[in-house]
Amino acid sequence: MAFPGLARAAVQATTRGQQESLSLWYEQAAGPWVEALPVGNGRLGAMSFGRIAQERIQLNEDTLFAGGPYDPNNPKSAAALPQVRALIDAGKFKDAADLISSSMMGVPATQMPYGAAGDLLLDFQGLSAGTAYRRWLDLDTAISSTRFNNGATQFKREVFASAPDQVIVIRLTASGGVMNFDLGYRHPVEVQYGATDYNGSGTAKSASVTPWDYRESLRAAERPSSLSIRADGADALLIEGRNVAAAGIPAALRYAVRVQALGDGTITPREDRIEVRGATTITLLVAAATSYVNYADVSGDPVKTVRAQTAAAAAKPYARLRSSHVHAHQMLFRRLSLRLGSGAADPRPTNQRIAVAEQQPDAGLAALYVQYGRYLLLSSSRPGSQPSNLQGLWNEGTNPPWGSKYTININTEMNYWPAQSANLRECVEPLLRMVEDLSLTGAIAARKGYGARGWMAHHNTDLWRAAAPIDGPLWGMWPCGGAWLCQALWDHYEYNLDEGWLRRIYPLLKGASLFFIDTLVEDPQGRGLVTSPSISPENQHHDGVATCAGPAMDRQIIRDLFSWTLQAHALLKESDAAFAAELTAKRARLPVDRVGAQGQLQEWLEDWDAGAPEQQHRHVSHLYGIYPSEQINVRDTPELIAAAKNTLNTRGDKSTGWATAWRLALWTRMGEGERAYAILQGLLGPERTYPNMFDAHPPFQIDGNFGGTAAILEMLVQSWGGEIRLLAALPKAWPEGSVHGVRARGGVELDLDWSEGRLKQLQVRGKPHQKLKIRQGDRLTEVTLDAKGRATMRG
């Protein structure tokens, strides 16, 4: 499948070190959902539990959101805007927030949640226990496996989500005996999420009293009247249903799941299940689809889709399905290898390593965390799929935390932080298409909400590309969500220098800039042009009030946006000189970053930080300028870096999972390897990492996985300010190691080996005769690649 502006990248398979571990493994079946193991092909996902008596395969399809196409823009918004601004200028922030709440919030003031596609339950007769039990997830093959013995019979199960064939494949074998089981479908249920399900030891609290080989009921919740389960031919089950309504938005999607069983023994579809008797080998092919075509069109035929997908897969032998899946995965996954430290591979199960990670340093676990993050991104965001959402692709029920949608005041952006450096740039394509959609729905939000040109989005969006503010003024009245999304698109250009991509994103950059050209207003104290109304995401400057004008994060994001747009304008030789001149003039009038009386980097234009109600707030929005931006850096703005360190010392090192990962990235970018390493230990421990290595907010959010992945790679290789920095935040705990296949800005790829904390060898691949600046500590070296685009350096 080809996408304009997405250059086909050459595959560079790396040589993997002998000590690189690429497997999560366990000695017992999964109990709660966050012990199950994820597979995904970008669009389809599954969680396998590895249970003996009754295997549970929980399913996801990435367009199965609630509701349908809708326009959430408040018709009273534009009329209220001048009065809101006047109240803010007068310092009446609570009154401004109240008017925003009554006249500017979206209708409804929430968005549509992402839902699960149900469960497959495989009830095995005669199985209640097993010996020599092991289950694992092989990141290199993207296959989840379970193996155990029961008497003289060895059972093995494999689960993978095939990108080439667009099905989930479940392979069941019985060696030395036969298997008998019934396969049924369970409609997704509403799951209530608490803060944590774990006791701090990496195991479920209830695991000691509840055996996880018990059989769950197919009728745990009453089936909705719209649900149909029936035999579909001689060897298949077809499930048809509808999504759910939410917040007054009617259900508009139809969905279908088809399960086809192939193999020996007797396969008999019944009214609502498939019976398998006397089999030694069974392959289950699972397809799922909805009627979603795009955010405005739900006319698709999911039944036709799933029948075609399972029929095409059924025409291929299992060995071919498996090999094509593995090849497609490894073409991308094997681009990068990582080894940290020199110790032997840790022999303990993964959950045991996580349980003691804060007390027992585990360099191999940090390396595995990076590769797992790469695996999760590749599994939840592939060309043609939806972008990775708040839980990536995997969600257990119909009531996911925060709707499992797209929170674009940090979380969606963080999902894509590792895409470039981790050599998975194709994964950004779904985000590009979402931004292209938002440039259309966001243009309506800009016009109806602000009377402005261009496009914008607030702090959340969903499958239907809603762009209006939601949740309330404290969270939703923030106009920079769309602008921040543009950073991942610009990063893709800087890392790949693809002119086709640049031409595709320029209209998005220009449209986002036009919105701020029209909506920036004069600060009444003469400090320049500011956003109004806005917030510093989710943080109150006084009790109960976040509404303000011109917070630091807004100024930093808009400064970047205007710079990217001007650079693209020049590179593409666009003819609109008046637009570029206006953008340049307005950029110059954005207020600069300020240091407050406490020596901190100010979060707001006013010096409110010391009196803000939450001194350890999870968001560190005003430090965007350090990471993921580079406006504030150790080379050019040391005084602002010192102020940022004061801010971070006040905020503390431990926070929610994603916020801990952001702190890790910030200290890393500032070159503080030991501080970063201490934060990393907390991120890897059982308070912030579940047994299956999902990030614990808690509950599960995937952004912490991705933010942590990006930050660990940043400890080894940084590229900003026109330089590539080697081992810029290397901790003493990793005196030797290697990373091969890491990418840097300028379209280059690096193989880096170090020993005794110093560079041993560097190999660089890029464009012929390309000139690079490479920094090692205080030494800056200018390197020119040869005619083949290669260079080698030794320490």
Side-chain angles (χ1 to χ4, degrees):
M1 188 178 295
F3 296 90
L6 186 67
R8 182 178 297 277
V11 174
Q12 177 69 40
T14 60
T15 302
R16 299 195 171 278
Q18 292 182 349
Q19 295 170 326
E20 184 179 20
S21 172
L22 291 171
S23 180
L24 287 66
W25 75 277
Y26 308 85
E27 294 177 316
Q28 68 284 325
W33 186 79
V34 288
E35 293 179 357
L37 295 173
V39 297
N41 66 7
R43 188 184 66 84
L44 285 179
M47 299 287 285
S48 62
F49 286 69
R51 297 176 183 172
I52 292 172
Q54 182 196 64
E55 178 61 291
R56 177 185 175 193
I57 306 293
Q58 185 267 310
L59 304 174
N60 289 104
E61 200 278 350
D62 71 354
T63 62
L64 190 47
F65 277 67
Y70 68 108
D71 179 358
N73 294 289
N74 193 322
K76 299 184 291 183
S77 184
L81 181 62
Q83 187 178 352
V84 167
R85 286 172 169 166
L87 289 168
I88 292 172
D89 287 348
K92 298 180 178 180
F93 303 110
K94 178 63 167 59
D95 292 342
D98 289 343
L99 183 55
I100 290 168
S101 184
S102 65
S103 301
M104 297 187 75
M105 299 308 297
V107 183
T110 188
Q111 289 175 356
M112 300 299 103
Y114 174 57
D119 295 292
L120 299 181
L121 298 181
L122 283 63
D123 285 295
F124 290 87
Q125 298 179 2
L127 285 181
S128 59
T131 60
Y133 181 95
R134 185 182 180 108
R135 68 183 174 100
W136 67 97
L137 174 62
D138 185 341
L139 304 181
D140 189 45
T141 61
I143 297 175
S144 172
S145 302
T146 304
R147 184 181 62 219
F148 60 90
N149 298 332
N150 183 270
T153 306
Q154 182 182 76
F155 293 87
K156 185 174 182 182
R157 304 168 188 165
E158 292 188 334
V159 182
F160 59 87
S162 170
D165 291 291
Q166 287 299 303
V167 291
I168 292 166
V169 181
I170 305 166
R171 177 74 160 184
L172 311 166
T173 59
S175 301
V178 297
M179 53 186 160
N180 303 297
F181 66 91
D182 294 345
L183 181 151
Y185 173 83
R186 181 171 65 185
H187 185 267
V189 298
E190 181 171 316
V191 179
Q192 298 297 330
Y193 294 88
T196 179
D197 297 320
Y198 295 89
N199 59 15
S201 66
T203 58
K205 288 178 179 177
S206 55
S208 60
V209 296
T210 305
W212 290 111
D213 58 356
Y214 76 96
R215 298 175 190 264
E216 298 186 35
S217 171
L218 282 172
R219 301 182 184 277
E222 184 177 350
R223 291 177 181 171
S225 58
S226 60
L227 185 69
S228 166
I229 306 176
R230 65 183 189 276
D232 193 47
D235 55 6
L237 202 64
L238 180 66
I239 299 98
E240 293 184 77
R242 298 195 69 89
N243 69 336
V244 297
I249 304 301
L253 285 175
R254 294 172 293 118
Y255 76 88
V257 176
R258 189 172 193 263
V259 186
Q260 187 168 0
L262 307 171
D264 57 16
T266 303
I267 299 170
T268 309
R270 298 298 187 187
E271 178 183 348
D272 61 354
R273 65 188 64 217
I274 296 175
E275 292 181 356
V276 177
R277 300 291 183 266
T280 63
T281 303
I282 292 290
T283 301
L284 303 175
L285 305 175
V286 185
T290 76
S291 57
Y292 180 87
V293 177
N294 59 50
Y295 70 88
D297 184 350
V298 293
S299 65
D301 186 342
V303 172
K304 181 180 178 181
T305 298
V306 297
R307 282 176 172 161
Q309 289 169 340
T310 50
K316 302 176 183 179
Y318 174 75
R320 183 177 168 190
L321 291 171
R322 190 183 193 278
S323 64
S324 60
H325 154 74
V326 170
H327 177 71
H329 172 73
Q330 291 180 346
M331 286 280 287
L332 299 177
F333 184 77
R334 283 191 168 183
R335 289 175 178 168
L336 183 142
S337 66
L338 176 64
R339 180 177 59 83
L340 299 174
S342 57
D346 195 302
R348 294 171 297 174
T350 304
N351 57 312
Q352 294 182 19
R353 296 170 69 182
I354 292 168
V356 297
E358 290 192 70
Q359 293 76 40
Q360 299 179 15
D362 188 342
L365 186 63
L368 183 64
Y369 195 88
V370 169
Q371 293 290 27
Y372 187 56
R374 296 180 68 245
Y375 168 86
L376 293 175
L377 183 57
L378 182 54
S379 300
S380 63
S381 185
R382 276 180 176 264
S385 76
Q386 293 299 308
S388 181
N389 65 39
L390 203 58
Q391 292 183 295
L393 175 62
W394 304 275
N395 161 41
E396 187 177 13
T398 58
N399 182 39
W402 301 280
S404 193
K405 48 191 187 296
Y406 303 98
T407 302
I408 57 176
N409 67 7
I410 173 62
N411 311 95
T412 302
E413 289 86 356
M414 185 179 281
N415 285 2
Y416 289 90
W417 283 358
Q420 303 300 333
S421 61
N423 216 332
L424 293 175
R425 50 207 179 274
E426 291 84 354
C427 294
V428 180
E429 187 274 341
L431 187 70
L432 169 61
R433 284 186 292 105
M434 184 172 82
V435 175
E436 288 175 331
D437 289 347
L438 282 171
S439 73
L440 302 177
T441 59
I444 299 171
R447 185 177 71 251
K448 289 187 175 182
Y450 298 86
R453 298 172 296 167
W455 70 277
M456 61 86 64
H458 293 86
H459 92 299
N460 260 266
T461 190
D462 56 15
L463 181 74
W464 312 108
R465 307 313 189 226
I470 64 164
D471 294 339
L474 183 62
W475 305 273
M477 199 65 241
W478 184 65
C480 294
W484 193 356
L485 286 174
C486 288
Q487 188 199 34
L489 309 185
W490 182 255
D491 271 358
H492 184 96
Y493 173 71
E494 284 203 315
Y495 273 85
N496 298 282
L497 305 182
D498 175 3
E499 185 177 329
W501 179 274
L502 187 63
R503 290 194 180 278
R504 185 168 170 178
I505 69 170
Y506 177 69
L508 306 175
L509 299 175
K510 183 176 181 179
S513 295
L514 281 171
F515 171 77
F516 290 106
I517 285 176
D518 286 0
T519 58
L520 288 172
V521 296
E522 293 284 350
D523 171 61
Q525 297 184 40
R527 291 172 292 191
L529 296 175
V530 297
T531 50
S532 181
S534 190
I535 61 172
S536 186
E538 305 188 30
N539 198 10
Q540 306 167 51
H541 51 78
H542 292 84
D543 282 330
V545 181
T547 304
C548 66
M553 186 187 222
D554 288 16
R555 306 189 318 259
Q556 293 167 1
I557 289 176
I558 295 167
R559 188 175 292 114
D560 270 348
L561 173 67
F562 286 2
S563 294
W564 305 328
T565 307
L566 288 166
Q567 288 179 64
H569 183 278
L571 289 165
L572 296 174
K573 297 180 172 57
E574 292 289 321
S575 59
D576 190 353
F579 166 71
E582 184 175 19
L583 204 59
T584 300
K586 287 190 178 288
R587 185 184 186 280
R589 299 199 59 228
L590 295 170
V592 298
D593 289 300
R594 306 161 75 90
V595 178
Q598 307 298 313
Q600 88 287 2
L601 192 68
Q602 282 186 203
E603 187 161 359
W604 297 275
L605 264 176
E606 309 296 340
D607 193 357
W608 289 329
D609 299 70
E614 294 185 64
Q615 289 295 299
Q616 293 187 313
H617 197 271
R618 59 196 178 277
H619 285 261
V620 283
S621 302
H622 52 312
L623 305 189
Y624 162 94
I626 301 169
Y627 189 98
S629 183
E630 58 186 67
Q631 295 174 37
I632 302 172
N633 63 71
V634 294
R635 185 189 66 190
D636 304 320
T637 58
E639 71 287 350
L640 294 180
I641 288 291
K645 289 179 179 180
N646 287 336
T647 292
L648 282 173
N649 285 329
T650 299
R651 288 290 166 95
D653 289 350
K654 280 193 174 183
S655 188
T656 60
W658 64 263
T660 302
W662 198 356
R663 285 155 170 78
L664 170 61
L666 287 162
W667 284 110
T668 296
R669 178 60 67 86
M670 294 189 293
E672 299 286 351
E674 299 310 315
R675 183 68 171 269
Y677 180 76
I679 296 170
L680 175 61
Q681 295 306 99
L683 184 65
L684 295 175
E687 292 185 9
R688 291 293 172 262
T689 294
Y690 287 121
N692 68 355
M693 292 192 76
F694 274 169
D695 172 70
H697 181 285
F700 167 52
Q701 282 188 193
I702 205 167
D703 37 30
N705 288 102
F706 294 139
T709 295
I712 293 169
L713 291 175
E714 186 93 358
M715 294 168 85
L716 309 177
V717 176
Q718 299 182 14
S719 60
W720 52 265
E723 299 176 1
I724 297 172
R725 295 184 164 226
L726 307 180
L727 307 178
L730 182 72
K732 294 177 182 177
W734 303 339
E736 61 180 291
S738 65
V739 58
H740 290 188
V742 67
R743 288 186 63 82
R745 287 177 172 84
V748 297
E749 191 168 306
L750 311 174
D751 294 345
L752 177 67
D753 297 83
W754 68 94
S755 180
E756 298 181 347
R758 304 174 71 118
L759 176 68
K760 183 178 179 181
Q761 179 171 284
L762 174 69
Q763 294 182 327
V764 185
R765 295 177 292 277
K767 295 183 178 180
H769 310 298
Q770 185 175 0
K771 297 183 183 299
L772 303 172
K773 293 181 179 180
I774 298 179
R775 183 179 292 276
Q776 305 172 63
D778 294 331
R779 187 177 71 183
L780 184 65
T781 304
E782 294 192 5
V783 176
T784 301
L785 304 188
D786 64 20
K788 293 183 178 180
R790 301 288 188 267
T792 299
M793 295 176 59
R794 291 178 173 82

